[in-house]
Short mmCIF file of all heavy atoms in Angstrom, two decimals:
data_model
loop_
_atom_site.label_atom_id
_atom_site.label_comp_id
_atom_site.label_asym_id
_atom_site.label_seq_id
_atom_site.Cartn_x
_atom_site.Cartn_y
_atom_site.Cartn_z
N ALA U 35 60.80 175.31 -113.40
CA ALA U 35 60.02 174.08 -113.54
C ALA U 35 58.89 174.09 -112.51
O ALA U 35 59.11 174.43 -111.36
CB ALA U 35 60.92 172.86 -113.32
N GLU U 36 57.71 173.72 -112.95
CA GLU U 36 56.57 173.64 -112.05
C GLU U 36 56.53 172.25 -111.45
O GLU U 36 56.67 171.27 -112.15
CB GLU U 36 55.27 173.91 -112.82
CG GLU U 36 55.23 175.29 -113.41
CD GLU U 36 54.16 175.44 -114.45
OE1 GLU U 36 53.59 174.43 -114.90
OE2 GLU U 36 53.90 176.58 -114.84
N LYS U 37 56.33 172.19 -110.16
CA LYS U 37 56.26 170.91 -109.47
C LYS U 37 54.85 170.35 -109.61
O LYS U 37 53.87 171.02 -109.34
CB LYS U 37 56.60 171.10 -108.00
CG LYS U 37 56.59 169.80 -107.24
CD LYS U 37 56.96 170.01 -105.81
CE LYS U 37 56.91 168.68 -105.09
NZ LYS U 37 57.00 168.85 -103.65
N THR U 38 54.77 169.10 -110.05
CA THR U 38 53.48 168.44 -110.18
C THR U 38 53.10 167.84 -108.84
O THR U 38 53.90 167.14 -108.21
CB THR U 38 53.56 167.33 -111.25
OG1 THR U 38 53.92 167.93 -112.50
CG2 THR U 38 52.22 166.63 -111.40
N VAL U 39 51.88 168.11 -108.42
CA VAL U 39 51.35 167.59 -107.16
C VAL U 39 50.27 166.57 -107.49
O VAL U 39 49.40 166.84 -108.32
CB VAL U 39 50.77 168.73 -106.30
CG1 VAL U 39 50.21 168.19 -105.00
CG2 VAL U 39 51.82 169.81 -106.05
N ARG U 40 50.33 165.40 -106.84
CA ARG U 40 49.32 164.35 -107.05
C ARG U 40 48.35 164.35 -105.88
O ARG U 40 48.75 164.53 -104.73
CB ARG U 40 50.00 162.99 -107.17
CG ARG U 40 50.79 162.85 -108.44
CD ARG U 40 51.52 161.49 -108.52
NE ARG U 40 52.17 161.34 -109.80
CZ ARG U 40 53.36 161.81 -110.11
NH1 ARG U 40 54.02 162.50 -109.21
NH2 ARG U 40 53.88 161.62 -111.30
N ALA U 41 47.08 164.13 -106.20
CA ALA U 41 46.05 164.13 -105.17
C ALA U 41 44.88 163.25 -105.61
O ALA U 41 44.82 162.81 -106.75
CB ALA U 41 45.57 165.55 -104.90
N SER U 42 43.97 163.03 -104.68
CA SER U 42 42.74 162.29 -104.98
C SER U 42 41.59 162.94 -104.25
O SER U 42 41.78 163.68 -103.30
CB SER U 42 42.89 160.82 -104.56
OG SER U 42 43.09 160.74 -103.16
N GLY U 43 40.38 162.66 -104.74
CA GLY U 43 39.22 163.26 -104.11
C GLY U 43 37.94 162.91 -104.84
O GLY U 43 37.90 161.97 -105.65
N THR U 44 36.90 163.68 -104.56
CA THR U 44 35.57 163.46 -105.13
C THR U 44 35.11 164.72 -105.84
O THR U 44 35.18 165.82 -105.28
CB THR U 44 34.56 163.11 -104.01
OG1 THR U 44 35.05 161.98 -103.28
CG2 THR U 44 33.19 162.80 -104.57
N VAL U 45 34.63 164.55 -107.08
CA VAL U 45 34.13 165.69 -107.86
C VAL U 45 32.85 166.21 -107.22
O VAL U 45 31.91 165.47 -106.97
CB VAL U 45 33.85 165.27 -109.33
CG1 VAL U 45 33.22 166.41 -110.11
CG2 VAL U 45 35.12 164.77 -110.00
N LYS U 46 32.83 167.52 -106.94
CA LYS U 46 31.66 168.16 -106.35
C LYS U 46 30.87 168.97 -107.37
O LYS U 46 29.66 169.07 -107.28
CB LYS U 46 32.07 169.06 -105.17
CG LYS U 46 32.60 168.27 -104.00
CD LYS U 46 31.53 167.35 -103.47
CE LYS U 46 31.95 166.56 -102.27
NZ LYS U 46 30.90 165.66 -101.79
N SER U 47 31.58 169.57 -108.34
CA SER U 47 30.90 170.30 -109.41
C SER U 47 31.88 170.53 -110.55
O SER U 47 33.09 170.53 -110.35
CB SER U 47 30.32 171.63 -108.92
OG SER U 47 31.35 172.51 -108.54
N ILE U 48 31.31 170.72 -111.73
CA ILE U 48 32.09 171.00 -112.92
C ILE U 48 31.49 172.25 -113.56
O ILE U 48 30.28 172.31 -113.78
CB ILE U 48 32.03 169.82 -113.92
CG1 ILE U 48 32.56 168.54 -113.26
CG2 ILE U 48 32.82 170.14 -115.18
CD1 ILE U 48 32.29 167.27 -114.05
N ALA U 49 32.33 173.21 -113.84
CA ALA U 49 31.84 174.45 -114.47
C ALA U 49 31.21 174.12 -115.81
O ALA U 49 31.67 173.24 -116.53
CB ALA U 49 32.98 175.44 -114.65
N GLN U 50 30.15 174.83 -116.14
CA GLN U 50 29.43 174.59 -117.38
C GLN U 50 30.36 174.73 -118.59
O GLN U 50 30.24 173.99 -119.56
CB GLN U 50 28.25 175.54 -117.50
CG GLN U 50 27.27 175.17 -118.57
CD GLN U 50 25.98 175.99 -118.45
OE1 GLN U 50 25.94 177.02 -117.80
NE2 GLN U 50 24.94 175.50 -119.08
N ASN U 51 31.33 175.65 -118.53
CA ASN U 51 32.26 175.85 -119.64
C ASN U 51 33.49 174.92 -119.55
O ASN U 51 34.38 175.00 -120.37
CB ASN U 51 32.72 177.31 -119.69
CG ASN U 51 33.43 177.75 -118.43
OD1 ASN U 51 33.74 176.96 -117.54
ND2 ASN U 51 33.68 179.04 -118.33
N HIS U 52 33.53 174.07 -118.52
CA HIS U 52 34.59 173.08 -118.28
C HIS U 52 35.96 173.71 -118.03
O HIS U 52 36.98 173.04 -118.16
CB HIS U 52 34.66 172.05 -119.42
CG HIS U 52 33.47 171.15 -119.46
ND1 HIS U 52 33.40 169.97 -118.79
CD2 HIS U 52 32.28 171.31 -120.08
CE1 HIS U 52 32.24 169.41 -118.98
NE2 HIS U 52 31.52 170.20 -119.77
N GLU U 53 36.00 174.97 -117.63
CA GLU U 53 37.26 175.64 -117.34
C GLU U 53 37.74 175.39 -115.91
O GLU U 53 38.89 175.67 -115.58
CB GLU U 53 37.15 177.15 -117.58
CG GLU U 53 37.03 177.49 -119.05
CD GLU U 53 36.92 178.98 -119.29
OE1 GLU U 53 36.86 179.77 -118.31
OE2 GLU U 53 36.90 179.36 -120.46
N SER U 54 36.84 174.89 -115.05
CA SER U 54 37.22 174.61 -113.67
C SER U 54 36.38 173.46 -113.13
O SER U 54 35.35 173.10 -113.69
CB SER U 54 37.07 175.85 -112.80
OG SER U 54 35.70 176.21 -112.71
N ILE U 55 36.88 172.91 -112.03
CA ILE U 55 36.20 171.79 -111.38
C ILE U 55 36.38 171.95 -109.88
O ILE U 55 37.44 172.38 -109.42
CB ILE U 55 36.77 170.44 -111.89
CG1 ILE U 55 36.00 169.26 -111.32
CG2 ILE U 55 38.25 170.31 -111.61
CD1 ILE U 55 36.34 167.93 -111.98
N ARG U 56 35.34 171.66 -109.12
CA ARG U 56 35.43 171.71 -107.66
C ARG U 56 35.55 170.27 -107.17
O ARG U 56 34.77 169.41 -107.55
CB ARG U 56 34.19 172.38 -107.06
CG ARG U 56 34.27 172.53 -105.55
CD ARG U 56 33.22 173.47 -105.01
NE ARG U 56 33.45 174.85 -105.41
CZ ARG U 56 34.32 175.69 -104.84
NH1 ARG U 56 35.04 175.27 -103.84
NH2 ARG U 56 34.45 176.92 -105.28
N ILE U 57 36.58 170.04 -106.35
CA ILE U 57 36.88 168.70 -105.84
C ILE U 57 37.04 168.78 -104.33
O ILE U 57 37.70 169.68 -103.81
CB ILE U 57 38.19 168.16 -106.46
CG1 ILE U 57 38.03 168.02 -107.98
CG2 ILE U 57 38.58 166.82 -105.83
CD1 ILE U 57 39.31 167.62 -108.70
N PHE U 58 36.44 167.83 -103.63
CA PHE U 58 36.76 167.65 -102.21
C PHE U 58 37.94 166.71 -102.20
O PHE U 58 37.79 165.52 -102.47
CB PHE U 58 35.58 167.08 -101.41
CG PHE U 58 35.92 166.98 -99.94
CD1 PHE U 58 35.77 168.09 -99.12
CD2 PHE U 58 36.43 165.82 -99.41
CE1 PHE U 58 36.11 168.02 -97.77
CE2 PHE U 58 36.77 165.74 -98.06
CZ PHE U 58 36.62 166.84 -97.25
N HIS U 59 39.15 167.25 -101.97
CA HIS U 59 40.35 166.43 -102.04
C HIS U 59 40.77 165.93 -100.67
O HIS U 59 40.48 166.55 -99.64
CB HIS U 59 41.49 167.17 -102.75
CG HIS U 59 42.03 168.35 -101.99
ND1 HIS U 59 42.82 168.23 -100.87
CD2 HIS U 59 41.90 169.67 -102.22
CE1 HIS U 59 43.15 169.43 -100.43
NE2 HIS U 59 42.59 170.32 -101.23
N ASN U 60 41.46 164.81 -100.68
CA ASN U 60 42.04 164.24 -99.47
C ASN U 60 43.23 165.12 -99.05
O ASN U 60 43.68 165.96 -99.82
CB ASN U 60 42.48 162.80 -99.74
CG ASN U 60 41.29 161.93 -100.09
OD1 ASN U 60 40.23 162.03 -99.49
ND2 ASN U 60 41.45 161.08 -101.09
N PRO U 61 43.76 164.92 -97.84
CA PRO U 61 44.91 165.72 -97.43
C PRO U 61 46.06 165.60 -98.43
O PRO U 61 46.27 164.55 -99.04
CB PRO U 61 45.31 165.10 -96.08
CG PRO U 61 44.05 164.46 -95.58
CD PRO U 61 43.33 163.98 -96.80
#
Side-chain angles (χ1 to χ4, degrees):
E36 297 165 348
K37 182 179 179 191
T38 300
V39 179
R40 291 178 175 83
S42 62
T44 305
V45 175
K46 292 299 182 181
S47 66
I48 302 168
Q50 194 168 18
N51 60 8
H52 291 270
E53 290 180 356
S54 66
I55 185 169
R56 184 166 292 280
I57 297 174
F58 184 84
H59 68 73
N60 297 319

